[in-house]
Amino acid sequence: MAFSLGAFASPVMCMATITTTNHNNSHAFEAAYIKRAADIADKSAGFTSPHPNFGCVIATAAGKVAGEGYLYAQGTKPAEVQAVEAAGELCRGATAYLNMEPGDCHGDHTAVSALVKAGITRVVVGIRHPLRHLRGNAVRALRSEGVNVDVLGEDLQSKIIEDALKSCLLVNAPLIYRTASRVPFSVLKYAMTLDGKIAASSGHASWISSKKSRSRVFELRGRSDAIIVGGNTVRRDNPRLTARHGGGHFPMRIVMSQTLNLPEIANLWDISDVPTIVVTQRGARKSFQKLLASKGVEVVEFDILNPRDVMEYFYDRGYLSILWECGGTLAAPAISSGVIHKVFAFVAPKIIGGKSAPSPVGELGMVEMSQALNLIDVCYEQVGPDMLISGFLQPIPDLTPIIPSVDETSAIDPTVTPYESSIIFFYKTWDPYGAFSNFSPHPIQMQDDSGNYLTWSSVEHYYQAHKFVGVNDPVARDCVEGIKSAKSPEEAARMGRTIQRQHPDLIRPDWETVKIDVMYRALKCKFSIYPHLNSMLLSTAGSVLVEASPHDLFWGGGREGEGLNYLGRLLMQLRSEFLGESSMSNESSCLAL
Ligand SMILES: NC(=O)C1=CN([C@@H]2O[C@H](COP(=O)(O)OP(=O)(O)OC[C@H]3O[C@@H](n4cnc5c(N)ncnc54)[C@H](OP(=O)(O)O)[C@@H]3O)[C@@H](O)[C@H]2O)C=CC1
Ligand SMILES: Nc1c(N[C@@H]2O[C@H](COP(=O)(O)O)[C@@H](O)[C@H]2O)[nH]c(=O)[nH]c1=O
């Protein structure tokens, strides 16, 4: 079977290759059905936003497709329900293939109960739901109903399965990127001549790419929530930016203009078919803002108009994917601020020349080829006479790990089952598990290098001060004393971090290698000498512990599990060690208070 992944995920001449082995052969059917589910899920791209694209294929034990379905638009019948209805009685004992674990926005488990009631006995899931509050729920619910669930990459592993898994990631790439980066998934698209120009030096650009390529652009538009251009493109091209002939939905149009020095009459101000939003600098041409408002064009002012702030704003408004069709002036800051995830470049076999003719990306401040940004997962596809080159600027984020990697989980704590364990988040001291925070008011007594026991007001005091311990400099010794007598853990943290930033020369040279051990010793003392803390830690056995710091990506878990969560890991390691000991023992370098 051969299925295409659609415009954002074109399979044509992709760099990834599949090597077939015996193991792969046994997974070939599984992979084909999952790819089919991803393929039909892709049909709704643009319509389901901000929901994911869901597809479901039901196959009988004999390998016959009995029913299919995909989520047509948000609020419509779930893919699983449609597939079950189509398959009818053939569902009994059949396998359902889902490109993504179903969500459960309304709390009614519609998809799960449809599969269970229909008599499906096995479900193969492409990827777990990317949103943390939904991730794992449906898989757990199906398993608790006795359905055999296999998740790609977890329960099924082979090269061919990896490839099918990738199809599932690609079909919901916008949601995955949006979740990880907290900006909408952004694609920069441009058409350029073979000599790298997006217009003649006069600014004339219609047309560089062929009609076939431009039809492809309509498709890309139809998969996006909005299209962005800069002020110059509006002044020069008077674009419409509609998805005409594309068959997709009609995206919003967004114009970024600092000056608002824009024409009074423009195609984009005609909002009879699609709305337009103009984003601008606060206070820019108030009279023009009024004119736009009178035509029904929404104007949004920013203190400083830049791509990142604009993208964060549209993230908050729920946008999933954005197509940038600007020129190089705006494309450059969009790339350098890290908001562009994917590039679609249509290269036409034409040469226009011209020293001042614009190119697709303006100044990025790079001076050596070694600084060039390399695209990932590059695809080459011929569209009419043009070549379409597409690829990602940032790798597809891995949202699954919490500890962070599945392989490491059992090494850290064998009581934790990756994916299926509940997660206990802690962060602020007033949270239910706030005592796990290093800021909790639990003094510890630790032996110093000379064997004397010193009291530290909190783990944080001890940790921050040890950045400067052993440095042969009176200023470093003062830092240790200053942090030790800080009035609160917050103050200790502030002092330690500020001095580290301003005087990196005062930090002990081995800090990066010893800091985990420093923290481990302090935590071991804290959880050894306070019996109620020890019990609290043991009571969490089997759960993943995550410090829910959105900022600290080393000690904390980050906003969406992207952090390394070293504090959570150390606590799980300690828990495992305590559970392995018959009685609580005190570390020799730590004294009970
Ligand atoms: N072949 C192709 O694929 C395409 C070709 N073109 C061609 O390119 C030319 C226009 O390119 P270009 O001049 O680069 O136009 P852009 O579309 O990149 O627009 C640049 C404008 O964007 C606005 N802007 C808002 N915020 C920022 C910011 N933070 N940084 C930079 N600019 C910002 C400014 O508008 P303001 O001045 O109003 O404040 C600026 O002048 C035209 O000839 C057009 O035909 C354009 C798009 C695609
Ligand atoms: N010149 C050029 C493109 N230019 C882009 O398309 C916009 C015009 O869109 P519309 O008014 O809807 O047809 C224009 O402002 C610019 O953003 N695109 C392409 O695929 N190929 C081309 O050769």
Side-chain angles (χ1 to χ4, degrees), residues 189-193 197-209 228-238 255-262 279-281 304-308 310 324-334 344 346 358-360 362:
K189 165 259 144 189
Y190 52 81
M192 71 171 196
T193 59
K197 316 289 188 194
I198 57 163
S201 27
S202 66
H204 188 257
S206 356
W207 298 104
I208 293 168
S209 56
I228 292 200
V229 288
N232 271 353
T233 299
V234 178
R235 284 187 286 270
R236 174 66 238 187
D237 293 354
N238 188 20
V255 176
M256 276 182 75
S257 169
Q258 284 149 332
T259 60
L260 275 198
N261 187 12
L262 300 169
V279 292
T280 188
Q281 197 79 34
I304 298 169
L305 188 69
N306 62 64
R308 179 150 287 276
V310 169
W324 293 66
E325 289 204 60
C326 52
T329 312
L330 184 54
F344 273 82
F346 290 88
S359 66

Side-chain angles (χ1 to χ4, degrees), residues 97-117:
Y97 293 86
L98 319 179
N99 64 303
M100 183 189 281
E101 174 183 26
D104 182 26
C105 292
H106 308 293
D108 54 3
H109 296 289
T110 317
V112 169
S113 44
L115 295 170
V116 172
K117 273 190 203 143

Side-chain angles (χ1 to χ4, degrees), residues 142-373:
L142 284 163
R143 283 183 177 149
S144 72
E145 293 286 349
V147 177
N148 178 8
V149 183
D150 286 325
V151 183
L152 301 201
E154 298 173 27
D155 310 294
L156 300 178
Q157 288 173 353
S158 65
K159 201 80 191 94
I160 201 163
I161 287 291
E162 227 173 77
D163 188 56
L165 173 58
K166 191 147 194 190
S167 314
C168 299
L169 290 168
L170 288 173
V171 90
N172 278 300
L175 183 68
I176 296 169
Y177 278 97
R178 181 189 143 87
T179 307
S181 56
R182 302 187 85 76
V183 286
F185 176 63
S186 277
V187 174
L188 170 66
K189 165 259 144 189
Y190 52 81
M192 71 171 196
T193 59
L194 207 50
D195 55 334
K197 316 289 188 194
I198 57 163
S201 27
S202 66
H204 188 257
S206 356
W207 298 104
I208 293 168
S209 56
S210 64
K211 201 162 176 210
K212 205 162 176 197
S213 294
R214 291 187 336 260
S215 298
R216 189 64 184 277
V217 172
F218 293 143
E219 263 174 61
L220 286 177
R221 289 178 181 174
R223 305 169 64 89
S224 314
D225 290 341
I227 299 164
I228 292 200
V229 288
N232 271 353
T233 299
V234 178
R235 284 187 286 270
R236 174 66 238 187
D237 293 354
N238 188 20
R240 283 181 281 171
L241 307 180
T242 48
R244 53 195 186 274
H245 326 309
H249 88 127
F250 270 32
M252 303 276 281
R253 287 116 23 126
I254 300 170
V255 176
M256 276 182 75
S257 169
Q258 284 149 332
T259 60
L260 275 198
N261 187 12
L262 300 169
E264 292 193 359
I265 297 171
N267 286 326
L268 291 178
W269 313 156
D270 173 2
I271 57 151
S272 43
D273 288 329
V274 202
T276 300
I277 303 174
V278 173
V279 292
T280 188
Q281 197 79 34
R282 191 166 305 290
R285 289 190 72 199
K286 285 285 180 192
S287 57
F288 192 73
Q289 289 195 27
K290 272 198 190 129
L291 176 91
L292 288 176
S294 72
K295 292 171 186 275
V297 174
E298 185 183 348
V299 180
V300 181
E301 295 182 306
F302 285 76
D303 290 334
I304 298 169
L305 188 69
N306 62 64
R308 179 150 287 276
D309 287 354
V310 169
M311 284 303 95
E312 284 175 3
Y313 171 80
F314 282 103
Y315 170 88
D316 288 339
R317 277 179 73 155
Y319 284 53
L320 191 59
S321 60
I322 301 222
L323 186 66
W324 293 66
E325 289 204 60
C326 52
T329 312
L330 184 54
I335 289 179
S336 47
S337 61
V339 299
I340 302 291
H341 303 106
K342 191 166 190 185
V343 175
F344 273 82
F346 290 88
V347 184
K350 294 177 184 173
I351 290 177
I352 185 75
K355 250 186 174 172
S356 56
S359 66
V361 181
E363 189 51 61
L364 288 178
M366 296 181 185
V367 288
E368 290 195 1
M369 257 313 146
S370 54
Q371 295 172 290
L373 305 169

